[in-house]
Amino acid sequence: MSIRPVKRLIQSKPTLEGAGVHLRRAFGFGNTKDFDPFLLLDDFRNDVPEDYLAGFPWHPHRGIETITYVLAGTVEHGDSMGNRGAIAAGDVQWMTAGSGIIHQEMPKGDPAGRMHGFQLWANLPAALKMTAPRYQEVKALDIPETTDDDGTHVRVVCGSFWGKTGPVDGIAAEPIYLDVSVSAGKRKTLPVETTRHAFAYVFGGAGKFCNASGPLAVPTEPVKWADTTPPVEADNRSLILFDRGDEVTVQAGDDGIRFLLVSGKPLEEPVAWYGPIVMNTQEQLQQAFKELQEGKFLKV
């Protein structure tokens, strides 16, 4: 067994999106090759309604899947196919944009004005870029949960883990999307299949992610700290990108730690990306925006 080294530790950055929603972006745009098949992760956590109520009015998507996981408040949505609905605390919406959809997402706070959730974008392989759009909407009660003997608690949003299988299916990259809570002071090792790209995003408490498989030697005078691989401390709103290996080890801090652990099979395909549309070539991208201008974007 080999612990995945920490490749990068990133603090999510404040960003404005939609009609003026204040959120934090963990990664997205630019070079996302290390996260393949994932393209973007946004943390829309806010307790100031004026900073999020403007929402994300009507906008197009093509070539990707958007995964919205709500922890507090609700997100009302509607689309060009006539779908309407809302997802609330603990719910998940997995939208496959495929050949094209125009939709809106409007966040609403809970009675205390709090809004919290995540949106993850997953790329679609070339063969499925122009597939028919579809939704998989999952209520909180339908997401399996499991608790280990040491109190480690996992919600299985997608994929299979510890004998539980999440309700979302038919996803090309076969992602595993987990919401993990480790109790204060506990050390926990979690399996992650070695061929996958994987990352964690901390949104509660703090902890240290082990950064090497072998025991760490105590540095002597001639050995500098830079020559060792100590554990990497990650606090709230930290993104940890892992290198290769088949397990992830975390040591929870005094307040415990809660994080998303996401992995997927890399597509290893070219990416042509502008805003909400992700294709494989510039020609396909230009065609998509041409169709948008000419009113020919929607195929279904």
Side-chain angles (χ1 to χ4, degrees):
M1 305 294 281
S2 61
I3 295 173
R4 285 177 173 249
V6 175
K7 197 169 185 177
R8 287 208 296 279
L9 178 69
I10 304 162
Q11 279 292 317
S12 58
K13 295 178 177 59
T15 305
L16 272 179
E17 274 295 351
V21 177
H22 294 250
L23 51 81
R24 293 181 74 105
R25 179 155 293 153
F27 69 91
F29 297 99
N31 183 358
T32 57
K33 186 177 179 181
D34 287 341
F35 296 93
D36 180 18
F38 306 107
L39 297 162
L40 173 149
L41 177 65
D42 281 346
D43 176 354
F44 51 93
R45 185 183 341 182
N46 210 308
D47 57 6
V48 180
E50 294 79 14
D51 286 349
Y52 62 76
L53 284 176
F56 307 91
W58 297 98
H59 59 280
H61 282 295
R62 176 180 284 180
I64 64 169
E65 300 180 284
T66 65
I67 304 97
T68 308
Y69 180 30
V70 176
L71 295 178
T74 60
V75 177
E76 297 176 357
H77 65 89
D79 69 29
S80 51
M81 299 189 295
N83 295 308
R84 295 286 185 277
I87 50 175
D91 297 349
V92 175
Q93 183 197 76
W94 202 293
M95 184 191 77
T96 302
S99 62
I101 198 166
I102 296 174
H103 77 155
Q104 68 170 356
E105 299 158 296
M106 306 303 287
K108 309 288 182 187
D110 66 10
R114 295 172 303 182
M115 180 71 227
H116 188 194
F118 303 99
Q119 187 163 93
L120 175 68
W121 290 13
N123 202 2
L124 280 170
L128 295 176
K129 287 286 189 193
M130 298 300 286
T131 193
R134 69 165 179 154
Y135 285 98
Q136 296 185 69
E137 197 158 292
V138 182
K139 297 302 180 186
L141 291 175
D142 296 323
I143 296 176
E145 303 186 20
T146 181
T147 303
D148 208 5
D149 294 341
D150 64 357
T152 299
H153 183 78
V154 180
R155 298 189 84 214
V156 185
V157 174
C158 182
S160 295
F161 189 80
W162 283 355
K164 302 281 187 179
T165 299
V168 177
D169 63 5
I171 306 300
E174 298 179 22
I176 296 176
Y177 188 136
L178 310 174
D179 176 349
V180 181
S181 299
V182 182
S183 302
K186 298 289 186 184
R187 179 183 173 93
K188 194 66 183 174
T189 296
L190 305 166
V192 182
E193 203 272 314
T194 190
T195 61
R196 295 170 167 268
H197 283 165
F199 66 86
Y201 183 74
V202 179
F203 62 96
K208 293 183 177 180
F209 286 84
C210 194
N211 202 15
S213 291
L216 299 176
V218 176
T220 54
E221 190 63 32
V223 180
K224 294 182 170 57
W225 278 105
D227 299 326
T228 68
T229 50
V232 175
E233 189 156 20
D235 58 8
N236 199 2
R237 295 191 167 100
S238 293
L239 177 83
I240 302 93
L241 174 65
F242 298 106
D243 213 327
R244 297 294 175 154
D246 55 16
E247 56 188 25
V248 165
T249 297
V250 61
Q251 174 76 45
D254 293 341
D255 297 320
I257 187 170
R258 188 175 178 189
F259 57 95
L260 304 179
L261 180 60
V262 181
S263 66
K265 293 183 175 180
L267 301 178
E268 297 179 341
E269 294 182 350
V271 173
W273 182 0
Y274 188 83
I277 297 174
V278 184
M279 303 303 288
N280 295 107
T281 68
Q282 285 297 318
E283 290 75 20
Q284 292 168 340
L285 199 57
Q286 289 163 4
Q287 179 66 25
F289 280 98
K290 182 171 181 284
E291 290 176 2
L292 203 54
Q293 289 175 336
E294 295 175 349
K296 299 175 182 176
F297 183 75
L298 301 174
K299 306 302 180 186
V300 178

